Amino acid sequence: MILSRIFALSLLILTACSQPPDTQILRMGLANAPLNLDPRFATDAASERINRLLYQRLVEFDDQSLPVAGIADWETLSPTHYRFRLRQPTSRFTHEKLLDAADVVATYQFVLDPQNASPHRSALELIEDVTQIDQQTLDFHLKRSDPLFPAYLVLAIQPADLLASRHPFHEQPVGSGPFRFVDHSKPGHLLLERHRDGQKVEFIEVKNPTVRTLKLLRGEIDLLQNDLAPELVGYLRSRKEVEVANRPGSNFSYIGFNMEDPATGNPLVRRAIAHAIDRETIISQVLNSAAHPALALFPSEHWAGAKDLESYDYSPQLARSLLAEAGYDAGHPLKLVYKTSSDPFRIRLATIIQSQLKQVGIEVDLRSYDWGTFFGDIKAGRFQIYSLAWVGIRTPDIFRYIFASDSLPPKGANRGRYSSPEVDRLLKEVEQAKTLAEQANLYRQLQAILQQDLPYIPLWYENQIFASRRTVTGYQLMTDGNYDGLEQVVLVNKREIPDAETNAAY
Amino acid sequence: MADFLLSRLVSALVVILGVATLVFLLIHLVPGDPVDVMLGESARATDREALRIALGLNLPVSEQLLVYFSNLAHLDLGRSLYSNLPVSQVLAERIPATLELAGAALLCAVLIATPLGIMAAVRRGEAWDWGAMGFSMLGVSIPNFWLGPMLILLFSLWLGWTPVSGRDSLAGLILPAITLGSAFAAILARMIRSSLLEVLGEDYVRTARAKGLSERGVVLRHAMRNAWLPVITLLGLQLGALLGGAVVTEIVFDWPGVGSLMIDSIQKRDFPVVQGCVLFISLVYVLVNTLTDIVYGLVDPRIRLSGSR
């Protein structure tokens, strides 16, 4: 009994040690902490989103994903010669140096140098050279023309002096963006400060989505974005101390086929599967309407998006007749292996699709793997069907990367070994196109062919979801899920919100 | 005693080297390439090759193993493929959290299990016994991934006593320690009960009672001393498990320990960090078991004597 009393007393003392969080810091819960704060080498989404806050770029994008001026305006001197002028007044890096053309040149030259093995080099391979004209001006010379070239200039600009001195940017980022780096010493925590008003923002990694939700409810974090199961979003919506917002996103979910497989290589089978999946029901019942159906890789609002694509409506009867035409029936059912990742929500979606396919007589053997194994199999072509999503894509040159017959992994991402002379021809014509309008027209033709051939079944674009305490105002959600909304967000004093703290009511 | 210690040390070294080799080979057999995970699909073949050379992944596995052991001999665990930080530094950041959680969980388990086990043994067949064993059954049966969120709901959200997760305050340790320690408390309570029941039937306990000692004195001073022996073995084994196997609890409570680091590193195919984590866990197991053997010898002179014969 003495031991039990000691235990109860310890519990009481420890509970008394619980410190309320600092109310001046805005805390954002992340599913994954950034892996690398050096933008020359960062490839994960969390790092890229946070690096956007720390650094600036030559080019940004408008609502149609067309490139617009970031820190520089540009003019096309010839199809292979672009001149960029930094906008005035230029910003300062956090070590007080003014950002100038030398910094831009040094950043691009570093990434273009093969010895530095930057993962961003391949996106810039058409650059012949980059030269400084004066303190505010620089020129890009290209190996070949591409009217979309400015859209590739999204590297975060780093100071030339620190690049030369091999500054450890991954530990001490020095940028000219709206935020400055403060601290990253605690595992899973990153502290930034907004230049404008000194507002501190702490990013806290909370991997478990349920725990992330509970932390938001208790006020241990103030806001979170995405990576929540629909039922958690529904639960948050029912809480009066939390606000939930969403907006259409551009992350594209799809089912991919192995075109070299005897079964899935048959267009009748692919069409049957497309007609057997009830996307509307999945979106309304499973995704809680937090998505909208997709007909192609890009939404129709995108500058290269197609507006009049044929959709594969849900029709089990049509699916069955297509399967019969392909030679499958109850006595000789179609059997497929469906691979997905070990993410519980992806498994749930795959299980639903498995069930829908069963209704038309397709027997699906569902297999989930950890990410490394799953992705390795997909790239090696060891699959019949799989589901994945393309996240954060902006420029339609990705069509070449995914669907050109010579883009097999590891060179490209033609994982399904799709080969279409017509698509290859259109992709070559895109390279010759003089204007973006010409390119857009060719990409629309290409998307119509893809919708006919169905190397992918487009599923949906998942919405961007944002949830915050009522003490947070002014956050604007972005379609690609970046954290630019933090530039304007305001943390209201909790005492100004009468019913902000209602934890006792849980 | 010196021979005993030397033999334990040699066998510990063999086990650790065996584990290191096995893990090295297994992680290289698992599908998935760290270069792919690091560079993404869009990287060019030349860039992949450059990174592969930079990381030493272009060498044959046998050569990589030799390099690994050569570095290990110099206490160099290598560098993380992602952060480029020394693995020893990455581990050093996580080990205190792991030790803290394992220690607290062990303390929690002992504090819960000891009174439960003793009461169940002393009042065998009564409601206390049934209650304690029922609790024990529950503790073993409830998985941590369910118990953790339930405790958060109760203590953090409804009562507001503890933070939901994180290592920001001492109070943040309570729920993970209870979650991790609950299953162990259940096993420990059963072990204490059965061990004490066995001892309570011994002649010397009957003698102590015949001498007129109080029941409390008989149990706590005489019976418990011998009943602790098998419990110490279990404590040793379980401490190793608590140090290395707290993955689920660490993930539920965002506890920045070695378990969650290892899972992250496996997913990212960060080979050196995975190897470092496994080496740490095996080292802990071996150390704790060696210590258990030594403590066992100290507590029970019969074992010490038979060992030196």
Side-chain angles (χ1 to χ4, degrees):
Chain A
M1 296 310 283
I2 294 169
L3 287 172
S4 301
R5 280 175 198 156
I6 293 172
F7 178 68
L9 189 66
S10 314
L11 197 74
L12 198 68
I13 292 167
L14 286 172
T15 304
C17 293
S18 179
Q19 295 290 321
D22 185 342
T23 52
Q24 301 307 308
I25 298 178
L26 182 78
R27 292 181 169 79
M28 183 170 191
L30 301 181
N32 292 295
L35 293 174
N36 196 335
L37 293 177
D38 186 340
R40 294 169 297 172
F41 299 103
T43 53
D44 62 294
S47 299
E48 291 197 358
R49 285 168 182 162
I50 286 168
N51 283 333
R52 278 186 64 81
L53 303 173
L54 293 169
Y55 297 91
Q56 291 182 295
R57 295 143 300 279
L58 286 180
V59 167
E60 298 289 350
F61 293 93
D62 67 8
D63 289 343
Q64 286 184 291
S65 292
L66 280 166
V68 293
I71 57 167
D73 295 299
W74 72 85
E75 58 179 316
T76 310
L77 301 179
S78 81
T80 57
H81 185 187
Y82 285 76
R83 174 156 292 172
F84 281 75
R85 279 196 188 84
L86 298 182
R87 290 177 151 193
Q88 297 299 323
T90 53
S91 319
R92 282 183 189 277
F93 289 104
T94 50
H95 68 313
E96 292 304 316
K97 179 189 174 302
L98 266 176
L99 189 157
D100 62 27
D103 301 309
V104 180
V105 171
T107 301
Y108 277 87
Q109 281 179 342
F110 182 95
V111 170
L112 289 168
D113 184 346
Q115 288 194 326
N116 293 322
S118 166
H120 305 297
R121 191 168 77 100
S122 56
L124 301 170
E125 62 181 346
L126 83 163
I127 297 176
E128 179 75 49
D129 65 61
V130 47
T131 49
Q132 183 180 356
I133 304 300
D134 59 39
Q135 204 171 8
Q136 307 301 324
T137 316
L138 64 147
D139 280 1
F140 285 95
H141 294 274
L142 310 185
K143 293 170 187 164
R144 58 176 171 79
S145 70
D146 185 345
L148 193 54
F149 169 68
Y152 309 142
L153 301 180
V154 289
L155 284 184
I157 305 304
Q158 293 170 283
D161 55 333
L162 297 186
L163 284 171
S165 64
R166 298 185 168 274
H167 176 81
F169 284 96
H170 63 285
E171 289 173 356
Q172 289 283 331
V174 177
S176 60
F179 284 79
R180 75 174 186 87
F181 170 81
V182 178
D183 184 45
H184 195 203
S185 56
K186 207 165 145 191
H189 291 245
L190 169 68
L191 188 62
L192 306 185
E193 185 183 82
R194 193 159 61 193
H195 283 300
R196 179 165 58 82
D197 56 2
Q199 171 67 56
K200 287 196 170 65
V201 176
E202 185 174 22
F203 296 92
I204 303 175
E205 183 184 41
V206 186
K207 284 195 179 295
N208 187 312
T210 307
V211 176
R212 207 157 56 243
T213 304
L214 295 175
K215 279 177 94 74
L216 179 70
L217 288 174
R218 193 170 183 268
E220 289 176 30
I221 55 176
D222 300 297
L223 67 158
L224 49 85
Q225 186 176 305
N226 295 334
D227 301 308
L228 289 178
E231 62 271 16
L232 287 174
V233 177
Y235 176 64
L236 283 173
R237 277 188 209 284
S238 70
R239 310 303 310 191
K240 63 177 180 180
E241 63 277 29
V242 170
E243 268 185 307
V244 178
N246 74 70
R247 72 173 287 182
S250 55
N251 295 341
F252 169 76
S253 295
Y254 67 93
I255 286 180
F257 292 107
N258 186 339
M259 306 292 279
E260 289 180 345
D261 183 87
T264 52
N266 184 340
L268 292 170
V269 168
R270 297 197 297 276
R271 275 178 218 145
I273 292 172
H275 283 296
I277 297 174
D278 186 358
R279 292 180 304 165
E280 298 287 351
T281 301
I282 295 175
I283 289 171
S284 65
Q285 301 301 315
V286 185
L287 298 169
N288 279 347
S289 302
H292 53 288
L295 290 177
L297 198 60
F298 291 107
S300 56
E301 307 85 63
H302 190 279
W303 67 268
K307 291 179 177 60
D308 47 3
L309 291 173
E310 178 197 354
S311 70
Y312 289 84
D313 297 329
Y314 176 57
S315 171
Q317 292 82 2
L318 184 51
R320 279 190 210 98
S321 67
L322 284 165
L323 283 174
E325 203 180 326
Y328 298 101
D329 55 30
H332 172 53
L334 173 60
K335 295 179 180 175
L336 294 174
V337 173
Y338 181 157
K339 293 190 175 178
T340 187
S341 72
S342 54
D343 178 85
F345 187 62
R346 300 293 151 195
I347 294 174
R348 198 194 314 172
L349 285 174
T351 309
I352 292 162
I353 290 172
Q354 178 190 39
S355 157
Q356 292 184 346
L357 295 184
K358 191 178 179 183
Q359 287 170 22
V360 299
I362 301 173
E363 294 177 15
V364 173
D365 176 6
L366 188 59
R367 296 184 192 173
S368 70
Y369 302 89
D370 84 284
W371 175 254
T373 309
F374 168 63
F375 200 47
D377 276 3
I378 298 309
K379 286 199 311 171
R382 287 191 294 269
F383 65 88
Q384 284 185 296
I385 57 174
Y386 70 96
S387 55
L388 256 178
W390 282 103
V391 176
I393 48 171
R394 287 246 188 225
T395 53
D397 56 323
I398 195 164
F399 282 113
R400 150 164 288 287
Y401 184 61
I402 303 177
F403 296 114
S405 56
D406 61 354
S407 288
L408 303 185
K411 186 184 170 194
N414 186 351
R415 302 151 181 163
R417 279 65 185 162
Y418 173 65
S419 177
S420 160
E422 190 65 6
V423 165
D424 287 344
R425 182 185 61 76
L426 285 169
L427 288 169
K428 277 205 173 66
E429 284 182 29
V430 164
E431 282 182 14
Q432 313 299 324
K434 299 280 186 292
T435 63
L436 287 181
E438 268 182 63
Q439 281 197 346
N441 184 35
L442 291 163
Y443 280 128
R444 287 185 190 116
Q445 292 176 44
L446 187 149
Q447 288 170 84
I449 296 170
L450 292 175
Q451 189 69 343
Q452 189 68 31
D453 288 353
L454 277 184
Y456 279 8
I457 294 179
L459 293 175
W460 47 73
Y461 307 108
E462 284 178 26
N463 285 4
Q464 304 292 342
I465 306 284
F466 166 75
S468 71
R469 308 274 306 170
R470 289 194 180 276
T471 47
V472 176
T473 60
Y475 188 89
Q476 197 188 346
L477 261 173
M478 301 293 156
T479 51
D480 62 359
N482 70 42
Y483 304 148
D484 290 6
L486 290 172
E487 289 177 36
Q488 301 302 328
V489 74
V490 176
L491 183 62
V492 181
N493 190 325
K494 288 179 185 178
R495 276 172 293 187
E496 292 171 23
I497 312 261
D499 58 348
E501 291 294 332
T502 50
N503 289 337
Y506 291 123
Chain B
M1 193 68 179
D3 288 349
F4 171 71
L5 282 178
L6 192 67
S7 72
R8 298 299 303 171
L9 203 66
V10 170
S11 67
L13 204 63
V14 171
V15 169
I16 288 167
L17 286 178
V19 168
T21 313
L22 204 64
V23 170
F24 187 94
L25 295 175
L26 283 177
I27 189 116
H28 281 79
L29 281 177
V30 173
D33 186 345
V35 172
D36 283 346
V37 185
M38 289 169 84
L39 294 186
E41 270 190 294
S42 57
R44 292 198 304 195
T46 48
D47 296 334
R48 286 169 193 279
E49 199 47 36
L51 185 62
R52 209 175 285 283
I53 291 167
L55 299 174
L57 296 170
N58 58 323
L59 301 172
V61 174
S62 56
E63 214 168 312
Q64 289 183 48
L65 184 64
L66 277 178
V67 171
Y68 175 61
F69 275 122
S70 151
N71 291 339
L72 204 58
H74 296 92
L75 299 179
D76 177 5
L77 296 172
R79 285 176 172 270
S80 162
L81 300 183
Y82 285 85
S83 62
N84 199 33
L85 293 170
V87 173
S88 50
Q89 187 187 328
V90 175
L91 276 174
E93 284 174 3
R94 302 294 192 113
I95 287 173
T98 294
L99 292 177
E100 208 173 273
L101 178 58
L106 191 69
L107 182 71
C108 180
V110 170
L111 291 176
I112 293 171
T114 308
L116 275 182
I118 294 174
M119 289 303 288
V122 172
R123 310 233 170 137
R124 186 184 183 189
E126 296 179 19
W128 272 102
D129 187 17
W130 287 109
M133 288 307 101
F135 170 83
S136 169
M137 185 63 79
L138 267 180
V140 174
S141 313
I142 296 175
N144 286 358
F145 65 79
W146 186 84
L147 179 63
M150 290 304 111
L151 290 177
I152 291 173
L153 211 57
L154 177 64
F155 289 107
S156 302
L157 289 187
W158 291 347
L159 298 172
W161 289 358
T162 59
V164 171
S165 70
R167 198 176 161 233
D168 302 320
S169 67
L170 205 53
L173 186 60
I174 298 173
L175 299 186
I178 295 175
T179 305
L180 186 60
S182 61
F184 181 37
I187 298 167
L188 201 61
R190 294 186 83 87
M191 177 61 95
I192 291 173
R193 177 184 178 271
S194 62
S195 179
L196 190 57
L197 278 175
E198 200 180 317
V199 173
L200 284 174
E202 298 279 339
D203 289 345
Y204 74 91
V205 173
R206 200 177 309 125
T207 309
R209 283 195 181 117
K211 279 163 65 181
L213 285 179
S214 68
E215 188 61 19
R216 174 188 281 234
V218 170
V219 172
L220 296 181
R221 284 194 206 141
H222 294 270
M224 268 315 283
R225 187 163 176 176
N226 278 337
W228 273 117
L229 286 174
V231 176
I232 288 172
T233 313
L234 186 71
L235 277 174
L237 286 171
Q238 287 293 325
L239 181 61
L242 290 178
L243 282 164
V247 176
V248 174
T249 309
E250 285 184 9
I251 288 172
V252 169
F253 290 98
D254 281 319
W255 198 259
V258 175
S260 51
L261 173 70
M262 187 167 68
I263 294 296
D264 267 359
S265 308
I266 290 172
Q267 283 171 350
K268 289 187 282 183
R269 301 294 191 266
D270 196 343
F271 296 157
V273 178
V274 177
Q275 283 153 205
C277 290
V278 176
L279 205 64
F280 165 74
I281 291 167
S282 57
L283 196 69
V284 163
Y285 262 96
V286 168
L287 267 179
V288 168
N289 279 295
T290 309
L291 278 175
T292 308
D293 284 350
I294 295 167
V295 171
Y296 211 85
L298 291 174
V299 173
D300 188 348
R302 290 170 300 179
I303 295 167
R304 198 165 57 222
L305 288 173
S306 67
S308 61
R309 222 173 263 156

